[in-house]
Amino acid sequence: MTNTLHRYGNERNLSNDFIVFAIPCRGYNDKDSVPKLKRFLRTATKYNPVNLGDGSHGGAYRPSKNLNPTAHWSRKSEPDFETVIEGVNTPTTVAAVFDNIKAVEEFVAELQKEDLGLSINISALIDRAQECCDGVGIARHSVEYSLGFMGQTDRLADRQVMELSTMCGHGMISFNFARKMIDWVKEGRRTPEQACNYFSRFCSCGIFNPTRAKEILEEARRRNS
Amino acid sequence: MIIDPKKCVACGNCVAVCPMGAIHIDPEKKRATVNQDECVECYTCFRGMSTERLNPTMVRTIRKIGSWLRWRFDPEPDVCPTAAITEQELAWPRIVRRAFSDPVVPHESTGVHGRGTEEVKTNDVTNRVGQDDAGFTVEFGRPTVGVRFWQIQEMTTALARMGIEFEKRNPVTSLMADTKTGEIRSDILNEKILSAIVEFKTTLNNAPAVLQKIKEVAKTLDTVVAVGAAARCDEQGENRLEELLLREGFTFNRGKTNLGLGRPSVDIAQARATIG
């Protein structure tokens, strides 16, 4: 999931942002991987993830194609983990998002015992991932470092927009929509929770972290970036 | 993507949602319109927006009255009230736009969704990047700026001149006319996509020169380039790339850590042992 690699932010607001994902390797261990992927997701639910996702079918927050007009006043906003787990029917990347290191450590410790045989990665601050590894007694196998953005960086948005938008590395949360939601929260037209629900529905891999997004929006409400 | 003018009520919700800014409300027609050259077929509007199936005439009338009275209706911003956003059948070469921009569509060349790469996420299974190697992912157009293949080609040809060998299991490599020169098929050069990743590995010794070249070429492109550098760790979980990157002046705090819990399935491992 390179889509999680280049999340923009500072050490403070990235320190509790963790994506743990499982990926089968085509031609090596993808055959019969579906039950293992479901097992990964099922195990994750024990540790209170803030989002779950299946790269082929979507995350725990999904758009609805048959809303009725009452949705403008009352709309379902809870994550639906069961739909994600039941929906896995093909080898794919599955992910669980957490907002605290303790949950990640416990989850990884259980994955170690489960011995699924799939590649498991933590996408987070490198030091925090190292902390998890130390906590459960794992030596890192490989690491990929985000070296950030080069080229015409003046085409990028401001800090808060970048922080929100890059939480979907596939670019499904546009700069304009992130800016619009920041403005709406500042104007009191939506709460940060409501804005987070909108964002989450666009992230089709389920790797958006609503807890972190809420903090960013709360901060944006109080002051400019 | 197209927007059905018979259904569109010009609410404008899809305008902000489009990552490429390719949608606007046409002031003459009073309908949302997609700039087809800028649209990358990412399906963000079509799939990401929820839909109601309201009667367009009724919605337009209500909106007209509200607008005349200067009333501001505050609708859900991620909803198309009349399900006006419509997919269109994509033919070659436009179809590559969707392959590289819609994360739900798997790449035929790798079977992987998104940008279609496995990088070091499966290095514990493939051992593709060894301890003397540096693996690179050079991603173009991200976040939400977009890129055309001719811009990617500027980088791939420059890297190829350095003797770089591109990763075979990668969607961009599969579209190269010549992997030795880094040239991409001419019929897709002007296609715009949300982002794509060029992937390769080199020796640790060669990594500083490669990074320098990437920086140099990135400066000349009218897009953004996001770079990832990957290393295989030793038994203590340490690697030499980290120090090298710091020495080269790079700062980084985020990354992906492969825990080494993966392995080939039993039948594959046995088959490999037999061949080996």
Side-chain angles (χ1 to χ4, degrees):
Chain A
M1 289 202 156
T2 314
N3 57 336
T4 66
L5 183 61
H6 302 293
R7 286 191 176 203
Y8 191 86
N10 56 40
E11 299 221 356
R12 185 177 53 77
N13 70 28
L14 283 169
S15 67
N16 282 315
D17 181 36
F18 300 90
I19 304 109
V20 184
F21 60 90
I23 177 170
C25 183
R26 196 185 195 190
Y28 287 85
N29 60 11
D30 56 335
K31 211 175 129 193
D32 304 326
S33 62
V34 170
K36 294 174 184 171
L37 296 168
K38 284 179 187 267
R39 186 86 208 136
F40 172 93
L41 292 170
R42 183 75 63 196
T43 305
T45 58
K46 291 189 210 167
Y47 302 99
N48 299 319
V50 293
N51 206 348
L52 279 191
D54 154 5
S56 307
H57 298 95
Y61 297 83
R62 296 184 185 185
S64 166
K65 294 299 166 187
N66 282 299
L67 287 179
N68 69 51
T70 61
H72 293 278
W73 294 273
S74 62
R75 198 168 168 195
K76 187 177 170 290
S77 59
E78 295 303 310
D80 182 353
F81 295 150
E82 209 48 46
T83 299
V84 178
I85 298 168
E86 289 307 314
V88 180
N89 60 5
T90 182
T92 186
T93 309
V94 294
V97 184
F98 295 93
D99 61 3
N100 68 87
I101 195 164
K102 188 169 175 282
V104 181
E105 275 188 28
E106 288 173 359
F107 177 43
V108 169
E110 186 163 347
L111 287 175
Q112 210 179 357
K113 283 188 203 136
E114 294 245 7
D115 193 24
L116 299 172
L118 299 174
S119 299
I120 308 288
N121 291 246
I122 300 175
S123 185
L125 288 178
I126 294 158
D127 292 346
R128 296 289 266 171
Q130 176 76 69
E131 229 176 297
C132 291
C133 291
D134 292 344
V136 292
I138 288 177
R140 305 179 300 178
H141 183 281
S142 306
V143 185
E144 182 167 10
Y145 302 89
S146 166
L147 303 185
F149 304 108
M150 301 176 187
Q152 306 308 311
T153 50
D154 59 337
R155 295 188 65 181
L156 297 175
D158 67 50
R159 182 169 61 86
Q160 287 156 344
V161 169
M162 285 286 286
E163 287 172 345
L164 292 167
S165 177
T166 57
M167 270 198 274
C168 169
H170 286 128
M172 301 289 106
I173 297 169
S174 75
F175 290 162
N176 289 336
F177 191 62
R179 169 50 56 201
K180 180 174 170 177
M181 287 302 98
I182 290 170
D183 290 344
W184 278 30
V185 167
K186 289 179 91 126
E187 289 169 16
R189 294 168 72 179
R190 288 297 185 275
T191 64
E193 289 83 359
Q194 287 169 324
C196 290
N197 287 332
Y198 302 137
F199 290 136
S200 300
R201 292 188 196 106
F202 281 99
C203 173
S204 56
C205 298
I207 52 122
F208 189 82
N209 184 337
T211 307
R212 178 173 177 242
K214 191 178 157 222
E215 286 165 11
I216 294 165
L217 287 163
E218 291 282 12
E219 193 186 330
R221 178 153 63 179
R222 287 193 300 270
R223 63 189 183 95
N224 279 331
S225 59
Chain B
M1 200 58 61
I2 51 174
I3 295 173
D4 185 345
K6 290 197 190 101
K7 290 184 180 172
C8 178
V9 295
C11 69
N13 276 354
C14 55
V15 172
V17 160
C18 176
M20 291 291 99
I23 306 177
H24 72 283
I25 305 295
D26 187 312
E28 306 282 312
K29 297 177 193 159
K30 303 268 194 294
R31 299 286 185 273
T33 308
V34 181
N35 178 336
Q36 292 298 325
D37 188 45
E38 288 296 311
C39 171
V40 293
E41 305 291 353
C42 64
Y43 277 56
T44 303
C45 55
F46 181 80
R47 192 186 42 251
M49 294 184 81
S50 296
T51 55
E52 297 168 286
R53 292 174 190 278
L54 302 179
N55 180 299
T57 310
M58 179 192 77
V59 179
R60 282 188 203 113
T61 307
I62 294 170
R63 286 178 57 81
K64 211 168 201 170
I65 295 167
S67 161
W68 184 72
L69 293 169
R70 290 283 188 267
W71 282 347
R72 186 174 71 177
F73 174 50
D74 219 11
E76 288 288 88
D78 63 334
V79 174
C80 177
T82 53
I85 301 165
T86 311
E87 316 178 69
Q88 56 182 332
E89 202 169 313
L90 302 174
W92 186 268
R94 191 172 178 88
I95 200 163
V96 298
R97 294 187 181 222
R98 186 174 183 198
F100 281 86
S101 308
D102 180 353
V104 173
V105 179
H107 285 271
E108 276 182 32
S109 57
T110 60
V112 181
H113 295 83
R115 268 64 55 102
T117 58
E118 288 183 359
E119 309 127 38
V120 292
K121 294 176 289 196
T122 55
N123 204 37
D124 47 353
V125 175
T126 62
N127 283 307
R128 189 178 72 84
V129 177
Q131 285 185 23
D132 295 325
D133 299 326
F136 284 96
T137 53
V138 184
E139 186 167 0
F140 302 84
R142 169 188 182 165
T144 71
V145 171
V147 64
R148 292 188 192 262
F149 277 99
W150 65 263
Q151 293 171 308
I152 299 173
Q153 185 177 254
E154 295 287 314
M155 184 72 81
T156 51
T157 50
L159 291 169
R161 283 194 291 274
M162 297 182 79
I164 290 301
E165 209 173 297
F166 300 103
E167 167 62 26
K168 287 187 181 67
R169 284 162 47 121
N170 173 283
V172 176
T173 311
S174 74
L175 290 171
M176 284 182 186
D178 185 346
T179 53
K180 294 275 176 237
T181 62
E183 281 171 37
I184 294 173
R185 293 175 57 137
S186 59
D187 52 350
I188 63 162
L189 286 178
N190 204 35
E191 292 303 320
K192 186 173 181 180
I193 55 174
L194 202 50
S195 67
I197 297 174
V198 170
E199 198 181 0
F200 59 91
K201 66 173 185 177
T202 186
T203 59
L204 275 175
N205 291 342
N206 199 25
V210 167
L211 284 163
Q212 198 51 48
K213 179 58 74 179
I214 293 169
K215 268 204 259 184
E216 189 187 307
V217 179
K219 268 186 211 159
T220 68
L221 304 176
D222 188 25
T223 186
V224 279
V225 178
V227 181
R232 167 79 162 95
C233 300
D234 61 21
E235 283 172 5
Q236 282 71 48
E238 302 301 326
N239 67 75
R240 285 178 285 150
L241 178 68
E242 192 164 322
E243 195 193 322
L244 183 149
L245 293 171
L246 290 169
R247 214 171 42 233
E248 291 298 311
F250 287 95
T251 53
F252 45 85
N253 58 14
R254 219 180 171 288
K256 271 182 307 195
T257 302
N258 183 325
L259 304 183
L261 301 177
R263 60 177 177 273
S265 57
V266 177
D267 53 334
I268 298 288
Q270 279 170 352
R272 282 170 190 272
T274 312
I275 296 164

